[in-house]
PDB file of all heavy atoms in Angstrom:
ATOM      1  N   THR A   1     -12.064  -5.772   6.780  1.00 87.00           N
ATOM      2  CA  THR A   1     -12.218  -5.478   8.206  1.00 87.00           C
ATOM      3  C   THR A   1     -11.102  -4.538   8.631  1.00 87.00           C
ATOM      4  O   THR A   1      -9.920  -4.849   8.490  1.00 87.00           O
ATOM      5  CB  THR A   1     -12.152  -6.762   9.049  1.00 87.00           C
ATOM      6  OG1 THR A   1     -13.176  -7.662   8.615  1.00 87.00           O
ATOM      7  CG2 THR A   1     -12.365  -6.447  10.525  1.00 87.00           C
ATOM      8  N   LYS A   2     -11.489  -3.366   9.133  1.00 84.00           N
ATOM      9  CA  LYS A   2     -10.525  -2.372   9.622  1.00 84.00           C
ATOM     10  C   LYS A   2     -10.855  -2.101  11.084  1.00 84.00           C
ATOM     11  O   LYS A   2     -11.848  -1.438  11.379  1.00 84.00           O
ATOM     12  CB  LYS A   2     -10.607  -1.086   8.803  1.00 84.00           C
ATOM     13  CG  LYS A   2     -10.309  -1.287   7.321  1.00 84.00           C
ATOM     14  CD  LYS A   2     -10.400   0.007   6.548  1.00 84.00           C
ATOM     15  CE  LYS A   2      -9.300   0.977   6.885  1.00 84.00           C
ATOM     16  NZ  LYS A   2      -7.966   0.529   6.465  1.00 84.00           N
ATOM     17  N   GLY A   3     -10.024  -2.654  11.986  1.00 77.00           N
ATOM     18  CA  GLY A   3     -10.356  -2.541  13.400  1.00 77.00           C
ATOM     19  C   GLY A   3     -11.664  -3.254  13.670  1.00 77.00           C
ATOM     20  O   GLY A   3     -11.811  -4.446  13.390  1.00 77.00           O
ATOM     21  N   LYS A   4     -12.667  -2.518  14.170  1.00 72.00           N
ATOM     22  CA  LYS A   4     -13.979  -3.099  14.453  1.00 72.00           C
ATOM     23  C   LYS A   4     -14.974  -2.857  13.326  1.00 72.00           C
ATOM     24  O   LYS A   4     -16.122  -3.289  13.416  1.00 72.00           O
ATOM     25  CB  LYS A   4     -14.525  -2.513  15.754  1.00 72.00           C
ATOM     26  CG  LYS A   4     -13.711  -2.884  16.997  1.00 72.00           C
ATOM     27  CD  LYS A   4     -14.358  -2.329  18.251  1.00 72.00           C
ATOM     28  CE  LYS A   4     -13.565  -2.722  19.492  1.00 72.00           C
ATOM     29  NZ  LYS A   4     -14.175  -2.191  20.733  1.00 72.00           N
ATOM     30  N   GLU A   5     -14.544  -2.196  12.265  1.00 79.00           N
ATOM     31  CA  GLU A   5     -15.445  -1.879  11.164  1.00 79.00           C
ATOM     32  C   GLU A   5     -15.311  -2.889  10.039  1.00 79.00           C
ATOM     33  O   GLU A   5     -14.214  -3.390   9.766  1.00 79.00           O
ATOM     34  CB  GLU A   5     -15.150  -0.480  10.623  1.00 79.00           C
ATOM     35  CG  GLU A   5     -15.317   0.631  11.636  1.00 79.00           C
ATOM     36  CD  GLU A   5     -16.752   0.808  12.078  1.00 79.00           C
ATOM     37  OE1 GLU A   5     -17.656   0.474  11.289  1.00 79.00           O
ATOM     38  OE2 GLU A   5     -16.979   1.261  13.219  1.00 79.00           O
ATOM     39  N   ARG A   6     -16.428  -3.185   9.364  1.00 80.00           N
ATOM     40  CA  ARG A   6     -16.419  -4.072   8.203  1.00 80.00           C
ATOM     41  C   ARG A   6     -17.018  -3.361   7.005  1.00 80.00           C
ATOM     42  O   ARG A   6     -17.989  -2.619   7.131  1.00 80.00           O
ATOM     43  CB  ARG A   6     -17.237  -5.340   8.479  1.00 80.00           C
ATOM     44  CG  ARG A   6     -16.605  -6.304   9.471  1.00 80.00           C
ATOM     45  CD  ARG A   6     -17.274  -7.668   9.323  1.00 80.00           C
ATOM     46  NE  ARG A   6     -16.898  -8.556  10.398  1.00 80.00           N
ATOM     47  CZ  ARG A   6     -17.709  -8.923  11.381  1.00 80.00           C
ATOM     48  NH1 ARG A   6     -18.933  -8.456  11.413  1.00 80.00           N
ATOM     49  NH2 ARG A   6     -17.303  -9.747  12.319  1.00 80.00           N
ATOM     50  N   TYR A   7     -16.426  -3.605   5.837  1.00 84.00           N
ATOM     51  CA  TYR A   7     -16.910  -3.037   4.585  1.00 84.00           C
ATOM     52  C   TYR A   7     -17.002  -4.174   3.572  1.00 84.00           C
ATOM     53  O   TYR A   7     -16.149  -5.059   3.541  1.00 84.00           O
ATOM     54  CB  TYR A   7     -15.960  -1.958   4.065  1.00 84.00           C
ATOM     55  CG  TYR A   7     -15.734  -0.831   5.040  1.00 84.00           C
ATOM     56  CD1 TYR A   7     -14.770  -0.944   6.049  1.00 84.00           C
ATOM     57  CD2 TYR A   7     -16.487   0.335   4.975  1.00 84.00           C
ATOM     58  CE1 TYR A   7     -14.567   0.077   6.964  1.00 84.00           C
ATOM     59  CE2 TYR A   7     -16.287   1.369   5.886  1.00 84.00           C
ATOM     60  CZ  TYR A   7     -15.327   1.229   6.873  1.00 84.00           C
ATOM     61  OH  TYR A   7     -15.128   2.246   7.775  1.00 84.00           O
ATOM     62  N   ILE A   8     -18.035  -4.141   2.729  1.00 86.00           N
ATOM     63  CA  ILE A   8     -18.217  -5.164   1.709  1.00 86.00           C
ATOM     64  C   ILE A   8     -17.906  -4.557   0.339  1.00 86.00           C
ATOM     65  O   ILE A   8     -18.461  -3.532  -0.047  1.00 86.00           O
ATOM     66  CB  ILE A   8     -19.656  -5.712   1.712  1.00 86.00           C
ATOM     67  CG1 ILE A   8     -19.998  -6.300   3.087  1.00 86.00           C
ATOM     68  CG2 ILE A   8     -19.817  -6.765   0.624  1.00 86.00           C
ATOM     69  CD1 ILE A   8     -19.136  -7.467   3.495  1.00 86.00           C
ATOM     70  N   ALA A   9     -16.991  -5.183  -0.391  1.00 89.00           N
ATOM     71  CA  ALA A   9     -16.669  -4.770  -1.762  1.00 89.00           C
ATOM     72  C   ALA A   9     -17.219  -5.827  -2.717  1.00 89.00           C
ATOM     73  O   ALA A   9     -16.819  -6.987  -2.664  1.00 89.00           O
ATOM     74  CB  ALA A   9     -15.160  -4.622  -1.940  1.00 89.00           C
ATOM     75  N   GLU A  10     -18.137  -5.420  -3.575  1.00 89.00           N
ATOM     76  CA  GLU A  10     -18.765  -6.331  -4.521  1.00 89.00           C
ATOM     77  C   GLU A  10     -18.248  -6.048  -5.934  1.00 89.00           C
ATOM     78  O   GLU A  10     -17.392  -5.185  -6.129  1.00 89.00           O
ATOM     79  CB  GLU A  10     -20.292  -6.179  -4.445  1.00 89.00           C
ATOM     80  CG  GLU A  10     -20.843  -6.502  -3.065  1.00 89.00           C
ATOM     81  CD  GLU A  10     -22.331  -6.246  -2.935  1.00 89.00           C
ATOM     82  OE1 GLU A  10     -22.725  -5.074  -3.076  1.00 89.00           O
ATOM     83  OE2 GLU A  10     -23.080  -7.195  -2.696  1.00 89.00           O
ATOM     84  N   LYS A  11     -18.752  -6.791  -6.903  1.00 92.00           N
ATOM     85  CA  LYS A  11     -18.261  -6.669  -8.273  1.00 92.00           C
ATOM     86  C   LYS A  11     -18.304  -5.218  -8.757  1.00 92.00           C
ATOM     87  O   LYS A  11     -19.318  -4.537  -8.602  1.00 92.00           O
ATOM     88  CB  LYS A  11     -19.076  -7.556  -9.221  1.00 92.00           C
ATOM     89  CG  LYS A  11     -18.530  -7.571 -10.645  1.00 92.00           C
ATOM     90  CD  LYS A  11     -19.290  -8.549 -11.521  1.00 92.00           C
ATOM     91  CE  LYS A  11     -18.712  -8.537 -12.940  1.00 92.00           C
ATOM     92  NZ  LYS A  11     -19.418  -9.467 -13.836  1.00 92.00           N
ATOM     93  N   ASP A  12     -17.176  -4.763  -9.317  1.00 93.00           N
ATOM     94  CA  ASP A  12     -16.992  -3.424  -9.880  1.00 93.00           C
ATOM     95  C   ASP A  12     -16.798  -2.330  -8.834  1.00 93.00           C
ATOM     96  O   ASP A  12     -16.654  -1.153  -9.189  1.00 93.00           O
ATOM     97  CB  ASP A  12     -18.145  -3.036 -10.823  1.00 93.00           C
ATOM     98  CG  ASP A  12     -18.210  -3.928 -12.049  1.00 93.00           C
ATOM     99  OD1 ASP A  12     -17.140  -4.398 -12.486  1.00 93.00           O
ATOM    100  OD2 ASP A  12     -19.317  -4.156 -12.568  1.00 93.00           O
ATOM    101  N   ASP A  13     -16.796  -2.675  -7.545  1.00 93.00           N
ATOM    102  CA  ASP A  13     -16.460  -1.693  -6.515  1.00 93.00           C
ATOM    103  C   ASP A  13     -14.942  -1.508  -6.465  1.00 93.00           C
ATOM    104  O   ASP A  13     -14.179  -2.423  -6.785  1.00 93.00           O
ATOM    105  CB  ASP A  13     -16.941  -2.153  -5.141  1.00 93.00           C
ATOM    106  CG  ASP A  13     -18.455  -2.164  -5.003  1.00 93.00           C
ATOM    107  OD1 ASP A  13     -19.121  -1.569  -5.866  1.00 93.00           O
ATOM    108  OD2 ASP A  13     -18.958  -2.766  -4.036  1.00 93.00           O
ATOM    109  N   ILE A  14     -14.506  -0.329  -6.032  1.00 94.00           N
ATOM    110  CA  ILE A  14     -13.086  -0.013  -5.893  1.00 94.00           C
ATOM    111  C   ILE A  14     -12.709  -0.070  -4.413  1.00 94.00           C
ATOM    112  O   ILE A  14     -13.385   0.526  -3.576  1.00 94.00           O
ATOM    113  CB  ILE A  14     -12.754   1.392  -6.435  1.00 94.00           C
ATOM    114  CG1 ILE A  14     -13.303   1.576  -7.855  1.00 94.00           C
ATOM    115  CG2 ILE A  14     -11.245   1.637  -6.378  1.00 94.00           C
ATOM    116  CD1 ILE A  14     -12.684   0.692  -8.898  1.00 94.00           C
ATOM    117  N   MET A  15     -11.641  -0.801  -4.088  1.00 93.00           N
ATOM    118  CA  MET A  15     -11.125  -0.842  -2.717  1.00 93.00           C
ATOM    119  C   MET A  15      -9.889   0.038  -2.625  1.00 93.00           C
ATOM    120  O   MET A  15      -9.002  -0.037  -3.480  1.00 93.00           O
ATOM    121  CB  MET A  15     -10.767  -2.274  -2.318  1.00 93.00           C
ATOM    122  CG  MET A  15     -11.937  -3.235  -2.313  1.00 93.00           C
ATOM    123  SD  MET A  15     -11.453  -4.861  -1.681  1.00 93.00           S
ATOM    124  CE  MET A  15     -10.222  -5.344  -2.893  1.00 93.00           C
ATOM    125  N   CYS A  16      -9.833   0.868  -1.599  1.00 93.00           N
ATOM    126  CA  CYS A  16      -8.707   1.766  -1.384  1.00 93.00           C
ATOM    127  C   CYS A  16      -8.036   1.384  -0.062  1.00 93.00           C
ATOM    128  O   CYS A  16      -8.626   1.548   0.994  1.00 93.00           O
ATOM    129  CB  CYS A  16      -9.170   3.217  -1.334  1.00 93.00           C
ATOM    130  SG  CYS A  16     -10.173   3.728  -2.755  1.00 93.00           S
ATOM    131  N   ALA A  17      -6.822   0.878  -0.159  1.00 89.00           N
ATOM    132  CA  ALA A  17      -6.125   0.392   1.035  1.00 89.00           C
ATOM    133  C   ALA A  17      -5.380   1.535   1.706  1.00 89.00           C
ATOM    134  O   ALA A  17      -4.214   1.798   1.430  1.00 89.00           O
ATOM    135  CB  ALA A  17      -5.167  -0.738   0.676  1.00 89.00           C
ATOM    136  N   VAL A  18      -6.099   2.263   2.558  1.00 88.00           N
ATOM    137  CA  VAL A  18      -5.492   3.267   3.431  1.00 88.00           C
ATOM    138  C   VAL A  18      -5.306   2.583   4.774  1.00 88.00           C
ATOM    139  O   VAL A  18      -6.241   2.442   5.554  1.00 88.00           O
ATOM    140  CB  VAL A  18      -6.394   4.509   3.563  1.00 88.00           C
ATOM    141  CG1 VAL A  18      -5.755   5.540   4.482  1.00 88.00           C
ATOM    142  CG2 VAL A  18      -6.671   5.112   2.188  1.00 88.00           C
ATOM    143  N   ARG A  19      -4.110   2.102   5.045  1.00 87.00           N
ATOM    144  CA  ARG A  19      -3.887   1.226   6.195  1.00 87.00           C
ATOM    145  C   ARG A  19      -3.558   2.015   7.450  1.00 87.00           C
ATOM    146  O   ARG A  19      -2.440   2.016   7.948  1.00 87.00           O
ATOM    147  CB  ARG A  19      -2.795   0.215   5.867  1.00 87.00           C
ATOM    148  CG  ARG A  19      -3.223  -0.708   4.724  1.00 87.00           C
ATOM    149  CD  ARG A  19      -2.119  -1.619   4.281  1.00 87.00           C
ATOM    150  NE  ARG A  19      -2.525  -2.352   3.084  1.00 87.00           N
ATOM    151  CZ  ARG A  19      -1.689  -2.788   2.166  1.00 87.00           C
ATOM    152  NH1 ARG A  19      -0.394  -2.573   2.309  1.00 87.00           N
ATOM    153  NH2 ARG A  19      -2.127  -3.430   1.104  1.00 87.00           N
ATOM    154  N   ASP A  20      -4.579   2.724   7.955  1.00 85.00           N
ATOM    155  CA  ASP A  20      -4.392   3.480   9.183  1.00 85.00           C
ATOM    156  C   ASP A  20      -4.495   2.588  10.410  1.00 85.00           C
ATOM    157  O   ASP A  20      -3.996   2.931  11.485  1.00 85.00           O
ATOM    158  CB  ASP A  20      -5.411   4.612   9.268  1.00 85.00           C
ATOM    159  CG  ASP A  20      -6.833   4.152   8.988  1.00 85.00           C
ATOM    160  OD1 ASP A  20      -7.020   3.308   8.088  1.00 85.00           O
ATOM    161  OD2 ASP A  20      -7.759   4.636   9.647  1.00 85.00           O
ATOM    162  N   VAL A  21      -5.151   1.433  10.268  1.00 87.00           N
ATOM    163  CA  VAL A  21      -5.236   0.430  11.332  1.00 87.00           C
ATOM    164  C   VAL A  21      -5.013  -0.937  10.693  1.00 87.00           C
ATOM    165  O   VAL A  21      -4.981  -1.057   9.467  1.00 87.00           O
ATOM    166  CB  VAL A  21      -6.619   0.455  12.043  1.00 87.00           C
ATOM    167  CG1 VAL A  21      -6.859   1.784  12.734  1.00 87.00           C
ATOM    168  CG2 VAL A  21      -7.748   0.167  11.041  1.00 87.00           C
ATOM    169  N   LYS A  22      -4.848  -1.967  11.519  1.00 89.00           N
ATOM    170  CA  LYS A  22      -4.680  -3.312  10.971  1.00 89.00           C
ATOM    171  C   LYS A  22      -5.890  -3.651  10.116  1.00 89.00           C
ATOM    172  O   LYS A  22      -7.032  -3.472  10.527  1.00 89.00           O
ATOM    173  CB  LYS A  22      -4.513  -4.340  12.083  1.00 89.00           C
ATOM    174  CG  LYS A  22      -4.234  -5.752  11.552  1.00 89.00           C
ATOM    175  CD  LYS A  22      -3.910  -6.724  12.662  1.00 89.00           C
ATOM    176  CE  LYS A  22      -3.599  -8.110  12.077  1.00 89.00           C
ATOM    177  NZ  LYS A  22      -3.224  -9.074  13.131  1.00 89.00           N
ATOM    178  N   THR A  23      -5.623  -4.154   8.916  1.00 91.00           N
ATOM    179  CA  THR A  23      -6.678  -4.417   7.940  1.00 91.00           C
ATOM    180  C   THR A  23      -6.626  -5.872   7.493  1.00 91.00           C
ATOM    181  O   THR A  23      -5.550  -6.392   7.194  1.00 91.00           O
ATOM    182  CB  THR A  23      -6.518  -3.500   6.715  1.00 91.00           C
ATOM    183  OG1 THR A  23      -6.536  -2.134   7.137  1.00 91.00           O
ATOM    184  CG2 THR A  23      -7.636  -3.728   5.716  1.00 91.00           C
ATOM    185  N   THR A  24      -7.794  -6.518   7.456  1.00 91.00           N
ATOM    186  CA  THR A  24      -7.887  -7.891   6.962  1.00 91.00           C
ATOM    187  C   THR A  24      -8.874  -7.937   5.798  1.00 91.00           C
ATOM    188  O   THR A  24      -9.971  -7.379   5.890  1.00 91.00           O
ATOM    189  CB  THR A  24      -8.353  -8.856   8.064  1.00 91.00           C
ATOM    190  OG1 THR A  24      -7.419  -8.818   9.148  1.00 91.00           O
ATOM    191  CG2 THR A  24      -8.444 -10.286   7.538  1.00 91.00           C
ATOM    192  N   VAL A  25      -8.467  -8.576   4.725  1.00 92.00           N
ATOM    193  CA  VAL A  25      -9.329  -8.749   3.546  1.00 92.00           C
ATOM    194  C   VAL A  25      -9.569 -10.234   3.370  1.00 92.00           C
ATOM    195  O   VAL A  25      -8.628 -11.027   3.382  1.00 92.00           O
ATOM    196  CB  VAL A  25      -8.669  -8.165   2.282  1.00 92.00           C
ATOM    197  CG1 VAL A  25      -9.599  -8.320   1.081  1.00 92.00           C
ATOM    198  CG2 VAL A  25      -8.300  -6.704   2.492  1.00 92.00           C
ATOM    199  N   ARG A  26     -10.845 -10.631   3.222  1.00 90.00           N
ATOM    200  CA  ARG A  26     -11.131 -12.059   3.095  1.00 90.00           C
ATOM    201  C   ARG A  26     -12.287 -12.313   2.142  1.00 90.00           C
ATOM    202  O   ARG A  26     -13.135 -11.448   1.903  1.00 90.00           O
ATOM    203  CB  ARG A  26     -11.440 -12.667   4.466  1.00 90.00           C
ATOM    204  CG  ARG A  26     -12.641 -12.081   5.184  1.00 90.00           C
ATOM    205  CD  ARG A  26     -13.019 -12.954   6.399  1.00 90.00           C
ATOM    206  NE  ARG A  26     -11.905 -13.126   7.299  1.00 90.00           N
ATOM    207  CZ  ARG A  26     -11.637 -12.320   8.334  1.00 90.00           C
ATOM    208  NH1 ARG A  26     -12.413 -11.271   8.550  1.00 90.00           N
ATOM    209  NH2 ARG A  26     -10.612 -12.553   9.129  1.00 90.00           N
ATOM    210  N   ALA A  27     -12.284 -13.526   1.588  1.00 91.00           N
ATOM    211  CA  ALA A  27     -13.385 -14.015   0.764  1.00 91.00           C
ATOM    212  C   ALA A  27     -13.575 -15.483   1.106  1.00 91.00           C
ATOM    213  O   ALA A  27     -12.596 -16.218   1.260  1.00 91.00           O
ATOM    214  CB  ALA A  27     -13.093 -13.847  -0.716  1.00 91.00           C
ATOM    215  N   SER A  28     -14.810 -15.925   1.229  1.00 86.00           N
ATOM    216  CA  SER A  28     -15.080 -17.319   1.582  1.00 86.00           C
ATOM    217  C   SER A  28     -15.530 -18.144   0.387  1.00 86.00           C
ATOM    218  O   SER A  28     -15.870 -19.312   0.525  1.00 86.00           O
ATOM    219  CB  SER A  28     -16.147 -17.381   2.689  1.00 86.00           C
ATOM    220  OG  SER A  28     -17.325 -16.726   2.284  1.00 86.00           O
ATOM    221  N   GLU A  29     -15.533 -17.535  -0.805  1.00 89.00           N
ATOM    222  CA  GLU A  29     -15.846 -18.261  -2.033  1.00 89.00           C
ATOM    223  C   GLU A  29     -15.038 -17.644  -3.161  1.00 89.00           C
ATOM    224  O   GLU A  29     -14.289 -16.685  -2.950  1.00 89.00           O
ATOM    225  CB  GLU A  29     -17.347 -18.182  -2.346  1.00 89.00           C
ATOM    226  CG  GLU A  29     -17.851 -16.775  -2.537  1.00 89.00           C
ATOM    227  CD  GLU A  29     -19.339 -16.717  -2.801  1.00 89.00           C
ATOM    228  OE1 GLU A  29     -20.005 -17.766  -2.667  1.00 89.00           O
ATOM    229  OE2 GLU A  29     -19.838 -15.648  -3.154  1.00 89.00           O
ATOM    230  N   PHE A  30     -15.157 -18.196  -4.371  1.00 93.00           N
ATOM    231  CA  PHE A  30     -14.331 -17.718  -5.478  1.00 93.00           C
ATOM    232  C   PHE A  30     -14.510 -16.218  -5.697  1.00 93.00           C
ATOM    233  O   PHE A  30     -15.619 -15.692  -5.697  1.00 93.00           O
ATOM    234  CB  PHE A  30     -14.664 -18.452  -6.778  1.00 93.00           C
ATOM    235  CG  PHE A  30     -13.850 -17.935  -7.944  1.00 93.00           C
ATOM    236  CD1 PHE A  30     -12.543 -18.372  -8.130  1.00 93.00           C
ATOM    237  CD2 PHE A  30     -14.377 -16.984  -8.811  1.00 93.00           C
ATOM    238  CE1 PHE A  30     -11.775 -17.876  -9.190  1.00 93.00           C
ATOM    239  CE2 PHE A  30     -13.622 -16.489  -9.866  1.00 93.00           C
ATOM    240  CZ  PHE A  30     -12.313 -16.946 -10.049  1.00 93.00           C
ATOM    241  N   HIS A  31     -13.371 -15.547  -5.909  1.00 93.00           N
ATOM    242  CA  HIS A  31     -13.403 -14.137  -6.240  1.00 93.00           C
ATOM    243  C   HIS A  31     -12.178 -13.809  -7.090  1.00 93.00           C
ATOM    244  O   HIS A  31     -11.216 -14.575  -7.163  1.00 93.00           O
ATOM    245  CB  HIS A  31     -13.379 -13.270  -4.972  1.00 93.00           C
ATOM    246  CG  HIS A  31     -11.998 -12.965  -4.510  1.00 93.00           C
ATOM    247  ND1 HIS A  31     -11.200 -13.907  -3.893  1.00 93.00           N
ATOM    248  CD2 HIS A  31     -11.234 -11.841  -4.639  1.00 93.00           C
ATOM    249  CE1 HIS A  31     -10.021 -13.372  -3.640  1.00 93.00           C
ATOM    250  NE2 HIS A  31     -10.005 -12.128  -4.080  1.00 93.00           N
ATOM    251  N   SER A  32     -12.226 -12.650  -7.705  1.00 95.00           N
ATOM    252  CA  SER A  32     -11.075 -12.144  -8.455  1.00 95.00           C
ATOM    253  C   SER A  32     -10.990 -10.637  -8.229  1.00 95.00           C
ATOM    254  O   SER A  32     -12.016  -9.939  -8.265  1.00 95.00           O
ATOM    255  CB  SER A  32     -11.246 -12.435  -9.953  1.00 95.00           C
ATOM    256  OG  SER A  32     -10.208 -11.827 -10.708  1.00 95.00           O
ATOM    257  N   HIS A  33      -9.773 -10.156  -7.956  1.00 96.00           N
ATOM    258  CA  HIS A  33      -9.616  -8.702  -7.858  1.00 96.00           C
ATOM    259  C   HIS A  33      -8.336  -8.259  -8.555  1.00 96.00           C
ATOM    260  O   HIS A  33      -7.345  -8.977  -8.577  1.00 96.00           O
ATOM    261  CB  HIS A  33      -9.660  -8.213  -6.403  1.00 96.00           C
ATOM    262  CG  HIS A  33      -8.509  -8.636  -5.538  1.00 96.00           C
ATOM    263  ND1 HIS A  33      -8.463  -9.848  -4.880  1.00 96.00           N
ATOM    264  CD2 HIS A  33      -7.366  -7.988  -5.200  1.00 96.00           C
ATOM    265  CE1 HIS A  33      -7.345  -9.937  -4.175  1.00 96.00           C
ATOM    266  NE2 HIS A  33      -6.652  -8.819  -4.355  1.00 96.00           N
ATOM    267  N   HIS A  34      -8.386  -7.065  -9.142  1.00 97.00           N
ATOM    268  CA  HIS A  34      -7.267  -6.470  -9.867  1.00 97.00           C
ATOM    269  C   HIS A  34      -6.660  -5.409  -8.959  1.00 97.00           C
ATOM    270  O   HIS A  34      -7.363  -4.495  -8.523  1.00 97.00           O
ATOM    271  CB  HIS A  34      -7.745  -5.820 -11.165  1.00 97.00           C
ATOM    272  CG  HIS A  34      -8.375  -6.787 -12.126  1.00 97.00           C
ATOM    273  ND1 HIS A  34      -8.239  -6.682 -13.497  1.00 97.00           N
ATOM    274  CD2 HIS A  34      -9.163  -7.883 -11.927  1.00 97.00           C
ATOM    275  CE1 HIS A  34      -8.897  -7.661 -14.085  1.00 97.00           C
ATOM    276  NE2 HIS A  34      -9.473  -8.399 -13.150  1.00 97.00           N
ATOM    277  N   VAL A  35      -5.363  -5.505  -8.692  1.00 96.00           N
ATOM    278  CA  VAL A  35      -4.763  -4.656  -7.669  1.00 96.00           C
ATOM    279  C   VAL A  35      -3.468  -4.016  -8.147  1.00 96.00           C
ATOM    280  O   VAL A  35      -2.670  -4.640  -8.850  1.00 96.00           O
ATOM    281  CB  VAL A  35      -4.525  -5.473  -6.365  1.00 96.00           C
ATOM    282  CG1 VAL A  35      -3.648  -6.680  -6.637  1.00 96.00           C
ATOM    283  CG2 VAL A  35      -3.904  -4.607  -5.276  1.00 96.00           C
ATOM    284  N   VAL A  36      -3.286  -2.740  -7.771  1.00 96.00           N
ATOM    285  CA  VAL A  36      -2.028  -2.032  -8.012  1.00 96.00           C
ATOM    286  C   VAL A  36      -1.624  -1.337  -6.717  1.00 96.00           C
ATOM    287  O   VAL A  36      -2.477  -0.914  -5.930  1.00 96.00           O
ATOM    288  CB  VAL A  36      -2.152  -0.989  -9.146  1.00 96.00           C
ATOM    289  CG1 VAL A  36      -2.482  -1.672 -10.461  1.00 96.00           C
ATOM    290  CG2 VAL A  36      -3.192   0.075  -8.824  1.00 96.00           C
ATOM    291  N   ALA A  37      -0.324  -1.254  -6.482  1.00 95.00           N
ATOM    292  CA  ALA A  37       0.169  -0.620  -5.256  1.00 95.00           C
ATOM    293  C   ALA A  37       1.455   0.124  -5.535  1.00 95.00           C
ATOM    294  O   ALA A  37       2.226  -0.243  -6.430  1.00 95.00           O
ATOM    295  CB  ALA A  37       0.392  -1.673  -4.165  1.00 95.00           C
ATOM    296  N   VAL A  38       1.693   1.184  -4.749  1.00 95.00           N
ATOM    297  CA  VAL A  38       2.922   1.959  -4.876  1.00 95.00           C
ATOM    298  C   VAL A  38       3.515   2.209  -3.493  1.00 95.00           C
ATOM    299  O   VAL A  38       2.807   2.203  -2.476  1.00 95.00           O
ATOM    300  CB  VAL A  38       2.676   3.327  -5.556  1.00 95.00           C
ATOM    301  CG1 VAL A  38       2.231   3.146  -6.987  1.00 95.00           C
ATOM    302  CG2 VAL A  38       1.688   4.170  -4.760  1.00 95.00           C
ATOM    303  N   ASP A  39       4.819   2.413  -3.469  1.00 95.00           N
ATOM    304  CA  ASP A  39       5.490   2.927  -2.277  1.00 95.00           C
ATOM    305  C   ASP A  39       5.419   4.447  -2.348  1.00 95.00           C
ATOM    306  O   ASP A  39       5.709   5.054  -3.384  1.00 95.00           O
ATOM    307  CB  ASP A  39       6.954   2.486  -2.252  1.00 95.00           C
ATOM    308  CG  ASP A  39       7.095   0.995  -1.971  1.00 95.00           C
ATOM    309  OD1 ASP A  39       6.449   0.507  -1.031  1.00 95.00           O
ATOM    310  OD2 ASP A  39       7.852   0.328  -2.712  1.00 95.00           O
TER     311      ASP A  39
END
């Protein structure tokens, strides 16, 4: 959820965290994601 917009990331999709607005990521059941981040 980015502001008023929602996006769904499913298996094998890539999520790109461009945090131009407050961002919330949630899952209501079991999930696994592989994540890397840089400054």
Side-chain angles (χ1 to χ4, degrees):
T1 302
K2 300 180 69 67
K4 295 183 179 180
E5 300 294 333
R6 289 197 191 108
Y7 302 84
I8 302 298
E10 299 175 297
K11 185 175 180 180
D12 296 329
D13 291 346
I14 309 295
M15 298 185 298
C16 307
V18 180
R19 296 174 187 151
D20 49 321
V21 297
K22 184 173 182 178
T23 303
T24 300
V25 182
R26 61 169 56 91
S28 57
E29 60 182 9
F30 178 81
H31 88 286
S32 174
H33 67 275
H34 298 215
V35 57
V36 297
V38 295
D39 289 312

